[in-house]
Structures are given as structure tokens and as C-alpha cells.
Amino acid sequence: RAEKTITVRLIDHLLRADLQSLHRQRVGSLNGRIRRSIEGYVKLIKLTGMDLAPAVFTVVFAIGMAMYRQPILGIVMAGVVPGAVAIVLLQMVSQKGVRLALLRNKEELDGTVVEQLQALELVRAAHTIGKETERVDAICEQMRHREMHHHVAMSVYDGLKALNEGLFFVAIVALAIMFAAEGRIGIGDIVTYAMLYGSVLAPLRDVHRIIDEAAGVGGIHRHP
């Protein structure tokens, strides 16, 4: 329903738009941007309702159970969340420009290909197939270069997330062992807190992915 509604509204707006503004847009680029905007909007709704909400509830429940059984361990366990969210936000801010640049490259590629197909007979008659292919190659090479830099940056942030998660895991297990040695908790509770921490990490990783993907589709939707 959301996809249908937003599609009808967007096309209605497009048909009423200033013709001069439409003439400045490539047909292929405009069509690709429309489809990606609609798909991004629907994907954002799905991510929020089907992935983000269950993940948040799982994290809250696991941390609440840990605090109920041993407040200090619960507080330490909750400490992994601010650091993880801060890393994701930093990742979003630093990679936002790269994502938008990649989207513009894809739109440029769409527009170029549609133009070439519309003027296919002219291209063949003028024997400019090589030049047109070089145009596509230049756009694809620019996309490849940006994608590589983006992947390298993402791997660095993934390493920071893993380091943050590992440090808190060591801290929780060490505290649990110390409390068990003092008799404040049972020996078996060490495994219990390790499992509760795992229950926090699994949905927290989903939150990382959801926020990251939402940033990408949000960038699409803001530039329809």
C-alpha cells in the first residue's frame, strides 16, 4: 500500500512539475531516481517495523534481565550500547557523501545507457560505438574507485565495532568470575551472563546494519 501510494503521489507531482526543470534531467537518470526513491522508502518502513523494533526489544530485555540479577554486571553490559551506536553514527556521517556520490554515478549511468539506446542507429551510423563504450567505462571505473574506498572505510568501522564488543565481553566475564569467587553469584551464572551478553550483541549487530541501510535509503528518499 505504501509503495502504491507513494508511486501515485510522485507521478502526479511529476506530471504537474515545471517542464523546464524536467528538460534539465536525463530521462534514464530521472526514472532510475524515481524507482530507487520508492524502493528506498518502502525498505525503510520494512527495516523499522520488521527488523529494528524486535532488535531493540531483545536488547532491552537482555539488559533488564542482567540488571535484575546483578545490577553492576547489567550496567557494564549496557555500556557496550553507547559506544556501538557512536561508531555507527560516525560511520554514517563519514560515509554519507560517498553513498550519495555512488547514487549519482548510478543515475548518470542510467541516463547514459538510455540515451545510447534511444540513439542506437545514430551511434552505429557514426561509428562511435567505441567512444560510447569508453563513456560507460569511465563512469563504471569512477564507481569502482569509490566503492573500493567505501569498503575499506567500512572494514575499519567493523573492526572498531568488534573491538568494542570484545572489550566489554572480557570485562563482563572478568567481573562475573570475580563475583563468583566472592560468592555473590553462582559459578553457573558466569555462563548465564556471557549468554545474556550474546543476546545483546546479536540484535545490536542487526541495529548496526539497519541504521546503516536506513542511512543509505534515507539519502535516496531525500533526493527524489
Side-chain angles (χ1 to χ4, degrees), residues 106-220:
K106 291 178 181 178
E107 291 167 5
E108 184 180 0
L109 182 61
D110 289 341
T112 301
V113 172
V114 170
E115 284 179 354
Q116 290 171 342
L117 293 177
Q118 288 177 338
L120 187 57
E121 293 183 1
L122 180 61
V123 169
R124 290 176 178 176
H127 301 288
T128 57
I129 294 177
K131 291 183 178 180
E132 295 299 329
T133 305
E134 289 175 1
R135 287 176 61 196
V136 175
D137 180 78
I139 298 172
C140 292
E141 175 60 23
Q142 191 176 40
M143 289 174 59
R144 185 200 67 80
H145 183 71
R146 283 175 173 160
E147 283 276 11
M148 285 300 299
H149 281 282
H150 178 62
H151 287 313
V152 170
M154 294 292 283
S155 66
V156 172
Y157 286 110
D158 287 340
L160 290 176
K161 294 171 190 174
L163 183 62
N164 178 62
E165 294 169 1
L167 289 175
F168 276 94
F169 178 75
V170 171
I172 288 168
V173 172
L175 278 174
I177 292 173
M178 185 182 71
F179 287 164
E182 295 175 353
R184 299 169 64 177
I185 61 175
I187 296 296
D189 287 339
I190 298 174
V191 178
T192 300
Y193 284 106
M195 293 176 64
L196 282 173
Y197 184 71
S199 299
V200 172
L201 285 187
L204 192 60
R205 293 191 184 106
D206 286 337
V207 172
H208 292 167
R209 176 183 58 81
I210 293 164
I211 294 176
D212 188 45
E213 292 184 14
V217 300
I220 298 172

Side-chain angles (χ1 to χ4, degrees), residues 66-77 179 184 193:
M67 287 186 174
Y68 174 76
R69 293 175 62 89
Q70 183 55 251
I72 296 177
L73 281 170
I75 292 172
V76 174
M77 192 178 297
F179 287 164
R184 299 169 64 177
Y193 284 106

